Amino acid sequence: MFFPRKLVVTLLGTCPWHRCHRRHAAEIARLSVREALASLEESRKDIKIQGWVRSVRSQKDVLFLHVNDGSSLESLQIVSEPNLKGSALSFGSSVEVVGTLVKSPHKKQSVELKASDIRVLGACDSYEFPFKLKERHPPDYARQYPHLRCRTNTFSSLLRVRSEATAAIHRFFQSNGYVHIHTPIITSNDCEGAGELFQVEATNWDSAAGDKSGFFDVPAYLTVSGQLHLEVMSGGFTRVFTFGPTFRAENSQSRRHLAEFYMVEAEVSFTESLEDIMQVMEDLFKSTTTALLSRCPEEMDFFNRYVSPGQKDRLEQLLKQRFMIMSYTEAIDVLQNSRDAFRYKPQWGCDLQTEHEKYLVKHCGNIPLFVTNYPYDLKPFYTRDNEDGPQHTVAAVDLLVPGIGELFGGSLREERLDILQSRLDGLGLNETYQWYLEIRKFGSVPHGGFGMGFERYLQCILGIDNIKDVIPFPRFPHSCLL
Amino acid sequence: MFFPRKLVVTLLGTCPWHRCHRRHAAEIARLSVREALASLEESRKDIKIQGWVRSVRSQKDVLFLHVNDGSSLESLQIVSEPNLKGSALSFGSSVEVVGTLVKSPHKKQSVELKASDIRVLGACDSYEFPFKLKERHPPDYARQYPHLRCRTNTFSSLLRVRSEATAAIHRFFQSNGYVHIHTPIITSNDCEGAGELFQVEATNWDSAAGDKSGFFDVPAYLTVSGQLHLEVMSGGFTRVFTFGPTFRAENSQSRRHLAEFYMVEAEVSFTESLEDIMQVMEDLFKSTTTALLSRCPEEMDFFNRYVSPGQKDRLEQLLKQRFMIMSYTEAIDVLQNSRDAFRYKPQWGCDLQTEHEKYLVKHCGNIPLFVTNYPYDLKPFYTRDNEDGPQHTVAAVDLLVPGIGELFGGSLREERLDILQSRLDGLGLNETYQWYLEIRKFGSVPHGGFGMGFERYLQCILGIDNIKDVIPFPRFPHSCLL
């Protein structure tokens, strides 16, 4: 809650320039719609509500309004005499309503506001406003209006859930002793070696400084992962996490990819096996999802009803189960023994495709599935060598979830200086990663970590088909609106 | 706490590929150093501690070690027989120690670990390791080793405080009903119009797609502020905030500037005056600082002792005071009547310089000072016109704090369509900001907001002179290490 400030300024000595800006305490209590709806008092005078009109229904001797301020999915019903209706009062306009909060005689809501005054703050031409009263707008229509779509039920619910998920993730790590690290956005590294990078340069560098080597003296890119920088920090704090934007310049228009998306990444030192990492992944997924079910019940019901029927039941079932585990080698066996016709033939040594991942999860009863120990050649240089044979694997793990496929990717990191050095030598990267080798030189520890795609997590939890509909301002090829 | 996972995998039907990976419950309890130090039990057997050696002192019949794992500033003292000392046990090496936690006979610590087993996990050559036992390393020395400086007391304390401040800021907004928004990092806007931008382009776009218009079809930049995007969202949620990276391609090597830094920004709808915004700024500052004093007492003491003597007292004093308020016009009067010789002559219509800001704060008894109502021509197009005269001002406010100068900048935003339109017309920006005008067209509301430089906040709280020493991986002209 915040109320207009009662400023009491201490006058300092004899200085004549300080003036006392004092305001009278507001006698009218300003409530958010959420607070008003949660009000348990039978009747409460002098309440002020502010928000946007979601419906206007004018009858002969009574006017019904619904006002929403984004604090909850539900709107507050306003009841007034029809003469309070200004001409500018329409769907989408912003209003300030003063009145008495009373118990509602209708079943649909617990309370309503009997208005004594309605003031239109900002008009809204319903013909020009792209969203219409009582219409359901398909997501690709809403996406064309990134500056207005937060006024729809679907997108405002999504963003409230996103905000709660963000808070829940921070809480999870904080309460488990992790130190939060802001890993850099601009970096001279390419963590994944994928090559699909955005390069960064100052717009006015050449001309301003007569300097051809660029702002940073070296080519600089937008980060594709905070992992290597988190590894630096796990070497001092034992447990660290980051939650920030990552970037891929992939020319993909799929429902699963964005050029700018958010990753939750954690790194843990003194690991004993891959299971230490899997345990954190499972705990994070379950703790965040449990928080959402309890803190956003209206929004979860809304998505369950209108977007992905049955989703809530499926989530609640899933939270009761221990996640499954299968090695990559076992997974290939399962796929090769399946009767399904895959577009890509499953074969040891090849990446699992989304169709394979979805099949495996289904095969396991739609319970999230850890696939472990991938072929050596499939994973980046930092993955810990299992030193096994004849099928040479590394200690990597992906978590596959229903409807999405890969949600988390993690691994133990190669902490043994000699093994890492010879791998980097082979790749000709020894010099570039001198600093990375030094972490292994000065008090190296066994460690591992993972990354979770935050937007994919939201898709998975809410059953939302297109990744562009779970982020406030999606960026993808040919599109950078606003 | 997490312990090695006891995996119980449900075997599904007749599928032969699922194996039960079961591990015996660890009988030895793994504690973080923080947990061990907080242990209240008189004696506790079978404790395992893992961390990095901070000191080794070998006597004839006893060996003293100090082990730190980054969970606290304080290290845990290990006491053992000298024969447990391996040859690789040295300053900087990583160890695992098993033993009994007992009450310490020494005054310096409450508990110590009587070791029954010490295992060196990773050796550390003390000669090559850039940080030395018992030496204090100046910040500019430590800065050369961004991959190792988290092993020093100063920098690890800083990052623990930074992590707690991050959490406290999220909590403040969440408990006050703000929705968290991830405003975009890549944007086609230049919010401040400053021109010191980083441009972003896919590295392989031209060749891969034969497409000359770039990845996004339009020039794309790294954000300098999330404000305009937050304004979009305040038009649906009433209260929103963001906390993310922002960028300036400024060719400055000052102690106050970074190319990549973090901003906390909030936007509030239905404001009645600038004071609504000032109240949130003051509450955020005080609530975060109070949280740090109570949650990081050791670290705050450390900085108070070794970095900025007297800082803690100053903070505690400051938290008891209401912040001061002065208009820009009054501030210019104060400056013009001062006997100090300024490098830049204070004059109505000119920006306040850091020397002016510091003078004003000092003049107000070192209490944070809000300066309000700046000249119309000094502030960006979105600032609300006060429509006053003859000195034409806008409803902008900066918060100046001791030692730093400007920490927050905020304003009411111009919500009146006609005034905003004519201002944008004058700037030739009407078309570019069509979407921004539309927010005013469809249910506009009076609103305002602010941004706080997170690194400057940390400098202010801890008394740290150089901004490069309060961020994990500083980026500035000619430097993008790691």
Side-chain angles (χ1 to χ4, degrees):
Chain A
M1 277 300 310
F2 76 92
F3 292 100
R5 183 186 201 217
K6 284 171 281 173
L7 280 174
V8 184
V9 177
T10 315
L11 290 170
L12 263 188
T14 53
C15 168
W17 288 279
H18 297 106
R19 293 194 196 136
C20 179
H21 304 247
R22 188 187 292 268
R23 288 183 57 183
H24 293 291
E27 283 163 19
I28 293 178
R30 194 160 121 183
L31 293 190
S32 71
V33 167
R34 173 180 290 274
E35 288 163 336
L37 290 169
S39 180
L40 296 171
E41 295 164 52
E42 276 285 295
S43 181
R44 210 171 149 186
K45 267 190 180 172
D46 294 328
I47 295 296
K48 189 198 281 181
I49 292 288
Q50 296 153 318
W52 292 268
V53 173
R54 284 295 179 87
S55 79
V56 193
R57 192 154 51 89
S58 194
Q59 292 182 353
K60 203 178 135 204
D61 46 345
V62 64
L63 171 72
F64 291 105
L65 279 188
H66 280 95
V67 173
N68 188 289
D69 65 357
S71 63
S72 71
L73 177 60
E74 206 183 329
S75 299
L76 181 68
Q77 175 158 292
I78 314 288
V79 187
S80 97
E81 292 174 19
N83 60 5
L84 284 184
K85 185 187 172 186
S87 62
L89 196 64
S90 65
F91 176 69
S93 59
S94 56
V95 291
E96 183 171 289
V97 185
V98 174
T100 303
L101 205 59
V102 298
K103 212 177 152 180
S104 175
H106 305 281
K107 274 188 191 162
K108 268 191 163 179
Q109 63 266 333
S110 56
V111 294
E112 59 187 31
L113 188 69
K114 277 182 102 80
S116 57
D117 187 43
I118 300 179
R119 198 155 64 92
V120 175
L121 301 176
C124 179
D125 183 331
S126 307
Y127 295 99
E128 286 193 53
F129 190 49
F131 297 101
K132 305 299 174 194
L133 178 62
K134 286 185 182 169
E135 257 180 47
R136 297 203 57 209
H137 305 87
D140 51 347
Y141 175 82
R143 225 178 285 144
Q144 297 171 58
Y145 305 96
H147 56 306
L148 298 168
R149 68 172 170 164
C150 68
R151 304 269 286 275
T152 65
N153 277 339
T154 308
F155 204 65
S156 69
S157 294
L158 179 275
L159 288 185
R160 276 190 301 274
V161 171
R162 188 178 165 110
S163 173
E164 285 290 347
T166 301
I169 288 166
H170 277 275
R171 274 199 308 274
F172 170 81
F173 284 114
Q174 245 235 335
S175 62
N176 285 285
Y178 286 72
V179 174
H180 178 273
I181 301 292
H182 284 116
T183 51
I185 308 303
I186 302 176
T187 172
S188 44
N189 283 302
D190 165 15
C191 171
E192 303 278 330
E196 291 177 318
L197 295 171
F198 286 106
Q199 190 159 355
V200 173
E201 190 46 78
T203 48
N204 56 356
W205 191 252
D206 265 0
S207 51
D211 185 343
K212 297 286 175 202
S213 59
F215 188 90
F216 294 111
D217 292 354
V218 291
Y221 309 100
L222 294 184
T223 183
V224 296
S225 160
Q227 179 197 318
L228 302 191
H229 299 94
L230 271 192
E231 281 188 67
V232 162
M233 294 302 173
S234 74
F237 294 106
T238 306
R239 294 181 203 169
V240 287
F241 82 106
T242 192
F243 182 176
T246 46
F247 306 84
R248 300 277 156 90
E250 211 171 334
N251 191 10
S252 160
Q253 291 282 359
S254 94
R255 292 157 182 267
R256 299 161 44 85
H257 293 91
L258 289 168
E260 174 179 317
F261 57 101
Y262 280 76
M263 288 253 280
V264 179
E265 296 177 271
E267 203 70 27
V268 179
S269 284
F270 305 106
T271 43
E272 294 178 354
S273 77
L274 206 47
E275 289 173 8
D276 286 348
I277 301 303
M278 285 149 64
Q279 184 67 59
V280 185
M281 288 155 86
E282 184 167 341
D283 289 348
L284 171 65
F285 183 96
K286 287 184 170 174
S287 138
T288 307
T289 308
T290 305
L292 291 182
L293 285 166
S294 78
R295 296 174 76 104
C296 308
E298 288 177 26
E299 286 80 5
M300 299 302 278
D301 279 341
F302 176 86
F303 285 104
N304 186 56
R305 187 175 305 172
Y306 298 111
V307 176
S308 181
Q311 181 69 7
K312 216 179 127 188
D313 267 1
R314 286 193 292 272
L315 276 186
E316 277 162 357
Q317 279 310 311
L318 181 156
L319 288 177
K320 291 179 196 154
Q321 312 280 343
R322 293 306 304 253
F323 293 178
M324 309 290 294
I325 304 176
M326 197 188 273
S327 74
Y328 168 88
T329 303
E330 291 163 346
I332 292 294
D333 275 355
V334 168
L335 292 167
Q336 286 176 343
N337 282 282
S338 133
R339 288 180 193 168
D340 278 28
F342 296 113
R343 220 181 124 203
Y344 295 88
K345 203 183 151 197
Q347 207 168 350
W348 205 100
C350 294
D351 253 329
L352 296 180
Q353 301 295 321
T354 304
E355 57 174 347
H356 303 146
E357 294 173 343
K358 289 187 175 173
Y359 177 87
L360 290 168
V361 174
K362 219 168 160 182
H363 173 84
C364 290
N366 282 314
I367 296 170
L369 170 66
F370 289 110
V371 177
T372 63
N373 298 325
Y374 282 76
Y376 180 88
D377 290 324
L378 281 187
K379 294 290 175 182
F381 69 86
Y382 50 70
T383 320
R384 195 178 199 274
D385 193 343
N386 281 332
E387 296 183 293
D388 53 357
Q391 292 179 311
H392 190 179
T393 68
V394 287
V397 58
D398 283 352
L399 178 63
L400 316 181
V401 296
I404 300 288
E406 183 192 341
L407 177 62
F408 288 73
S411 73
L412 298 183
R413 322 304 189 186
E414 188 55 78
E415 87 280 11
R416 295 161 295 185
L417 181 62
D418 53 338
I419 297 178
L420 184 63
Q421 205 150 25
S422 80
R423 186 139 198 205
L424 283 170
D425 270 340
L427 296 164
L429 290 172
N430 210 312
E431 206 158 316
T432 314
Y433 287 103
Q434 205 50 46
W435 63 270
Y436 191 67
L437 287 165
E438 283 195 4
I439 311 177
R440 277 72 179 168
K441 207 168 158 183
F442 302 119
S444 184
V445 295
H447 66 286
F450 64 82
M452 174 184 86
F454 183 53
E455 281 75 22
R456 286 206 187 156
Y457 170 75
L458 292 173
Q459 284 188 277
C460 162
I461 290 300
L462 301 172
I464 293 177
D465 191 40
N466 195 318
I467 198 167
K468 299 179 183 75
D469 298 323
V470 295
I471 190 165
F473 301 95
R475 270 77 180 98
F476 49 94
H478 311 296
S479 182
C480 186
L481 295 180
L482 272 59
Chain B
M1 277 304 307
F2 77 91
F3 292 99
R5 182 185 201 219
K6 283 170 278 174
L7 280 172
V8 184
V9 177
T10 315
L11 290 168
L12 261 187
T14 54
C15 169
W17 288 279
H18 298 104
R19 294 195 195 136
C20 180
H21 303 247
R22 188 187 292 268
R23 289 181 57 184
H24 294 290
E27 283 164 18
I28 293 179
R30 192 160 120 183
L31 293 189
S32 70
V33 167
R34 172 180 291 275
E35 288 163 336
L37 290 170
S39 182
L40 296 172
E41 295 165 53
E42 277 284 296
S43 181
R44 211 171 147 187
K45 268 189 181 175
D46 294 328
I47 295 295
K48 189 198 281 180
I49 293 289
Q50 296 153 318
W52 292 268
V53 173
R54 285 294 179 87
S55 78
V56 194
R57 191 154 52 89
S58 195
Q59 294 181 351
K60 202 177 137 205
D61 46 352
V62 65
L63 170 72
F64 291 105
L65 279 187
H66 279 95
V67 173
N68 188 289
D69 64 358
S71 63
S72 71
L73 177 61
E74 205 184 330
S75 298
L76 181 68
Q77 174 159 293
I78 314 287
V79 186
S80 97
E81 293 173 18
N83 60 5
L84 283 182
K85 184 186 171 187
S87 62
L89 195 64
S90 63
F91 177 68
S93 60
S94 57
V95 292
E96 183 171 288
V97 185
V98 174
T100 303
L101 204 60
V102 297
K103 212 176 152 180
S104 175
H106 305 281
K107 273 188 191 164
K108 267 191 162 178
Q109 63 265 333
S110 57
V111 293
E112 59 187 32
L113 189 69
K114 277 184 102 79
S116 57
D117 187 44
I118 299 178
R119 196 155 65 92
V120 175
L121 301 175
C124 180
D125 183 329
S126 306
Y127 295 99
E128 286 194 53
F129 191 48
F131 297 102
K132 305 301 173 195
L133 178 61
K134 287 188 182 168
E135 256 180 49
R136 297 202 58 208
H137 305 87
D140 52 346
Y141 176 83
R143 225 179 283 143
Q144 298 172 56
Y145 305 97
H147 56 306
L148 298 169
R149 69 172 169 162
C150 68
R151 303 268 285 276
T152 65
N153 276 339
T154 308
F155 204 65
S156 71
S157 294
L158 179 274
L159 287 184
R160 275 190 302 274
V161 170
R162 188 178 165 112
S163 173
E164 286 290 347
T166 302
I169 288 166
H170 276 274
R171 275 199 310 273
F172 170 82
F173 285 115
Q174 246 235 334
S175 62
N176 285 285
Y178 286 71
V179 174
H180 178 272
I181 301 292
H182 284 115
T183 51
I185 308 304
I186 301 176
T187 173
S188 44
N189 284 302
D190 165 14
C191 172
E192 302 279 331
E196 291 179 316
L197 295 171
F198 286 106
Q199 189 159 358
V200 173
E201 190 47 79
T203 47
N204 56 356
W205 191 252
D206 265 358
S207 52
D211 186 342
K212 297 284 175 202
S213 58
F215 187 90
F216 294 112
D217 292 355
V218 291
Y221 308 99
L222 293 184
T223 184
V224 296
S225 160
Q227 179 198 318
L228 302 190
H229 300 94
L230 271 193
E231 281 190 66
V232 162
M233 294 301 173
S234 75
F237 293 107
T238 306
R239 294 181 204 170
V240 288
F241 81 105
T242 191
F243 182 176
T246 46
F247 306 85
R248 299 279 156 90
E250 212 170 333
N251 191 9
S252 161
Q253 290 282 359
S254 93
R255 291 158 182 266
R256 299 161 44 86
H257 293 91
L258 289 168
E260 174 178 319
F261 57 101
Y262 280 76
M263 287 253 279
V264 179
E265 295 178 271
E267 204 68 27
V268 179
S269 285
F270 306 106
T271 43
E272 293 178 356
S273 77
L274 206 46
E275 289 173 9
D276 286 349
I277 302 302
M278 285 149 63
Q279 184 65 60
V280 185
M281 287 154 86
E282 184 168 339
D283 290 348
L284 171 64
F285 183 95
K286 288 185 170 174
S287 137
T288 308
T289 308
T290 304
L292 291 182
L293 285 166
S294 78
R295 296 174 76 103
C296 307
E298 287 177 27
E299 286 79 6
M300 299 302 280
D301 280 340
F302 176 86
F303 284 104
N304 186 56
R305 187 174 307 172
Y306 298 111
V307 176
S308 180
Q311 181 69 6
K312 217 179 128 187
D313 266 359
R314 286 191 293 271
L315 276 186
E316 277 163 357
Q317 280 310 311
L318 182 156
L319 288 176
K320 290 180 196 155
Q321 313 280 343
R322 293 306 304 253
F323 292 179
M324 307 291 294
I325 303 177
M326 197 188 275
S327 74
Y328 168 87
T329 302
E330 289 162 348
I332 292 294
D333 275 353
V334 169
L335 292 168
Q336 287 176 342
N337 282 281
S338 131
R339 288 181 193 167
D340 278 29
F342 296 113
R343 219 180 125 202
Y344 295 90
K345 202 183 150 197
Q347 205 168 350
W348 204 99
C350 295
D351 252 330
L352 295 180
Q353 301 296 320
T354 305
E355 57 174 348
H356 303 148
E357 294 172 344
K358 288 186 177 174
Y359 177 87
L360 290 167
V361 174
K362 218 168 161 184
H363 173 85
C364 290
N366 282 314
I367 296 169
L369 169 68
F370 289 111
V371 177
T372 64
N373 298 325
Y374 281 77
Y376 181 88
D377 291 324
L378 281 187
K379 294 290 176 182
F381 70 85
Y382 48 70
T383 320
R384 196 177 197 273
D385 193 342
N386 281 332
E387 296 183 293
D388 53 357
Q391 292 179 311
H392 191 178
T393 67
V394 287
V397 57
D398 283 352
L399 178 63
L400 316 181
V401 296
I404 299 289
E406 183 192 339
L407 176 62
F408 288 73
S411 74
L412 297 182
R413 321 305 189 187
E414 188 54 79
E415 87 281 10
R416 294 161 296 184
L417 181 61
D418 51 339
I419 297 179
L420 184 63
Q421 206 150 26
S422 80
R423 185 137 200 207
L424 283 170
D425 269 341
L427 297 165
L429 290 172
N430 211 312
E431 207 158 315
T432 314
Y433 287 102
Q434 205 50 47
W435 63 270
Y436 191 67
L437 287 165
E438 283 195 6
I439 311 177
R440 276 72 179 168
K441 206 168 160 183
F442 301 120
S444 185
V445 295
H447 65 287
F450 63 82
M452 174 185 86
F454 183 53
E455 281 75 22
R456 287 208 187 155
Y457 170 74
L458 293 173
Q459 283 188 277
C460 162
I461 289 301
L462 301 172
I464 292 176
D465 190 42
N466 196 317
I467 198 167
K468 299 179 183 77
D469 298 322
V470 295
I471 190 165
F473 301 94
R475 271 76 180 97
F476 49 92
H478 312 296
S479 182
C480 186
L481 295 179
L482 273 59

